[in-house]
Amino acid sequence: MEIKEILIKHGFSFKKQFGQNFLTDENLLAAIVRDGGVDAETTVLEIGAGAGALTRALSKAAKKVVAMEIDRSLRPVLAETLSGCENVEVIFGDFLKTNLAALERELGRYRVVANLPYYVTTPVLMRFLEEAALCDGVTVMVQEEVAERFCAQAGTPAYGAVTAAIALKGEAVVTRKVPRTMFFPRPNVDSAVVRIDFCEGRIPVLSKAAYRAVVRCAFLSRRKTLENNLMNCFRLSRAQAGEVLCKAGIADMARGETLPPQTLARLADVLHGAGIV
Ligand code: SAM
C-alpha cells in the first residue's frame, strides 16, 4: 500500500505547526540517503520520521536507524510503513527537548539524515554544532533560502551567524535542489539538501564559547561597525575595542558580516587571551 493510502486509512490529518511536508518519491529518497554518505556501517539519526518514507529508505542502506517524531498520532502509520524494518527504532518526542548526551550514548558514532521540519531547522542544526560529541555529519533538507545561508561566503547578504557557526565544524555543500512539487502537502517554497561533514578542530580556536560569543556579537547589528558591536557586547571602551581589533588584524571600521570565520576565530582568541570572554 502507498504511504498516501496508509495515511488516509489511519485518518491522519497533517499538522502545519509541525512542518509536516512529506516525501514519497523513491528515487529522491534513495538519492538523499546517498547524499548522506550512509552505508552498512552507518548509524543514522533521523529527526522527524513523518510517515516513514525516508526512514524506510535509510533502513535499507544503514546499519541502524533511530528516528525521532514529535507527533504521536503517526504511531499506527509508522508501525505499518516500517513493518519489517528490523534495524529501525522510533522514538516519539520533541528532539529539541531530548537529552542529546543520553541519546548519543545509545547511538555511538552516527550521522544525521533528515527532511527537517522548517520551523525548527536552525535550532535543530545548532544542537549538532554546539552539543553533539559523536556526530560525524549532518545531511538535511531545508528551505532553499536557508541552504544559501548555510553555504554563504563572507560579505554576501546571506552570510550570517549560522554560516559562521557551521564553519567551525565543517563546510556546508548543497547536494541537490528539490522543487516544492516533490512534497505533499506542497509547501510554498523550494528546498535543497545540504551536507555538512564534521571535522573537529577545522578552524582551531582557544575557546569555542569565545568564538560563539564573537559570532553573536559580530552579527548583532549588521549596520554597526564591529568596533561598536564589541563595545556593546563586551562593555569595552572605544580604545579597548580598537586595541582588540588591531591585535586581531582587523580594520577598525570593519563590519562583522564582511569577516570570514577564520578572522572571527582570530578575534575570539584575542578576546579570550585578554580574559574578556
Ligand atoms: N521524514 C519525513 C519525510 O521526509 O517524508 C517527514 C518530514 S517532515 C518535513 C518533518 C517531520 O518532523 C514531521 O513529521 C513532524 O511531525 C516532525 N517534527 C516536527 N518537529 C519535531 C521535533 N521538534 N522533534 C521531532 N520531530 C519533529
Side-chain angles (χ1 to χ4, degrees):
M1 203 186 277
E2 292 235 346
I3 279 189
K4 280 184 186 167
E5 291 168 322
I6 296 174
L7 286 166
I8 293 168
K9 183 177 120 185
H10 291 284
F12 177 74
S13 51
F14 284 90
K15 293 164 198 74
K16 216 174 172 185
Q17 75 269 25
F18 288 150
Q20 292 179 336
N21 301 101
F22 294 170
L23 296 170
T24 50
D25 186 279
E26 297 287 340
N27 291 328
L28 173 60
L29 291 161
I32 296 170
V33 175
R34 279 198 305 278
D35 290 352
V38 175
D39 64 25
E41 303 297 311
T42 316
T43 296
V44 178
L45 174 62
E46 184 192 7
I47 313 299
L54 181 58
T55 322
R56 212 158 58 180
L58 287 165
S59 154
K60 285 183 197 153
K63 180 167 118 191
K64 182 179 171 189
V65 182
V66 174
M68 287 210 66
E69 175 52 56
I70 198 169
D71 184 356
R72 287 183 164 76
S73 77
L74 284 162
R75 193 186 287 275
V77 173
L78 286 167
E80 188 161 344
T81 56
L82 298 178
S83 76
C85 297
E86 302 295 337
N87 59 350
V88 174
E89 178 190 351
V90 179
I91 301 174
F92 286 95
D94 181 346
F95 171 71
L96 292 176
K97 295 187 182 148
T98 298
N99 180 334
L100 186 57
L103 184 59
E104 287 196 329
R105 278 196 290 279
E106 178 191 332
L107 294 169
R109 297 216 72 89
Y110 66 98
R111 302 186 74 87
V112 174
V113 181
N115 171 17
L116 283 183
Y118 292 158
Y119 76 109
V120 284
T121 300
T122 303
V124 167
L125 178 64
M126 291 311 288
R127 287 205 79 184
F128 293 108
L129 294 174
E130 295 186 350
E131 282 179 57
L134 299 177
C135 183
D136 290 324
V138 166
T139 300
V140 282
M141 175 96 75
V142 298
Q143 288 182 38
E144 200 171 10
E145 176 204 322
V146 175
E148 279 165 20
R149 263 190 262 145
F150 287 1
C151 304
Q153 296 296 313
T156 63
Y159 182 65
V162 73
T163 330
I166 290 170
L168 200 57
K169 266 195 152 177
E171 188 189 356
V173 178
V174 170
T175 54
R176 70 189 59 246
K177 295 195 172 177
V178 181
R180 65 194 77 184
T181 48
M182 299 303 284
F183 299 84
F184 78 99
R186 189 182 294 189
N188 296 325
V189 290
D190 295 319
S191 292
V193 177
V194 178
R195 174 171 171 163
I196 310 165
D197 289 322
F198 288 173
C199 170
E200 209 48 58
R202 179 175 181 260
I203 298 178
V205 283
L206 295 173
S207 153
K208 286 183 190 167
Y211 179 82
R212 282 177 204 137
V214 163
V215 168
R216 268 195 305 278
C217 170
F219 296 97
L220 184 69
S221 177
R222 293 177 84 102
R223 288 202 181 150
K224 290 190 179 159
T225 61
L226 182 57
E227 187 177 76
N228 277 324
N229 280 338
L230 283 174
M231 288 164 65
N232 280 340
C233 291
F234 302 111
R235 298 181 182 280
L236 303 179
S237 67
R238 187 166 298 284
Q240 287 170 317
E243 194 181 324
V244 163
L245 288 175
C246 178
K247 275 194 185 155
I250 300 170
D252 51 6
M253 291 308 285
R255 279 177 300 127
E257 69 201 58
T258 64
L259 303 177
Q262 289 79 357
T263 308
L264 295 172
R266 218 163 52 228
L267 177 59
D269 283 355
V270 170
L271 285 163
H272 188 70
I276 295 168
V277 63

